[in-house]
Amino acid sequence: MSPVRRCSRTACGRPAVATLTYVYADSTAVLGPLATYAEPHCYDLCAEHSERLTAPRGWEVVRLLDGSAPARPSGDDLEALANAVREAARPQERAAQAGGARSADPMEVARRGHLRVLRSPDN
């Protein structure tokens, strides 16, 4: 027996990534992360079948997010991180652009490397 659970759909041999459970009393289909172990009244689905899941007319589909899976960074997140690293790597260029003198931020009290100590806005 293979340790990888397979999709319950007929003729689909892809690995399962989600578990589908029906709550007949509430007319609800609950699709969540892959259950720890296979249960007789639940259906394991692959990624394709879990995305295309539809419920009968009058039923509600509840999709539970997998909290254990790390959120994948978007392209915008990676670009923002790269820009922040580039900005931190060239503090001398910023000082040269300001005419050689550091522009005094009224909220900035002290600076050490890339870290700044800011004054409380109440003071």
Side-chain angles (χ1 to χ4, degrees), residues 13-94:
R14 290 185 286 258
V17 297
T19 299
L20 171 65
T21 306
Y22 291 106
V23 182
Y24 293 99
D26 297 331
S27 299
T28 304
V30 180
L31 183 68
L34 189 62
T36 307
Y37 55 91
E39 295 197 29
H41 300 290
C42 295
Y43 303 92
D44 294 335
L45 299 176
C46 65
E48 181 180 343
H49 286 122
S50 64
E51 289 172 8
R52 296 187 339 193
L53 175 74
T54 59
R57 188 173 305 158
W59 282 56
E60 181 182 358
V61 176
V62 176
R63 296 178 185 269
L64 303 175
L65 297 176
D66 183 7
S68 66
R72 298 191 68 201
S74 70
D76 291 340
D77 293 339
L78 294 175
E79 185 175 352
L81 179 62
N83 289 338
V85 168
R86 281 189 211 107
E87 178 79 18
R90 53 188 163 121
Q92 294 81 14
E93 292 178 25
R94 284 187 290 161

Side-chain angles (χ1 to χ4, degrees), residues 107-112 115-118:
M107 298 299 290
E108 186 174 325
V109 176
R111 177 181 283 264
R112 182 171 183 164
L115 302 175
R116 298 184 308 167
V117 177
L118 302 177

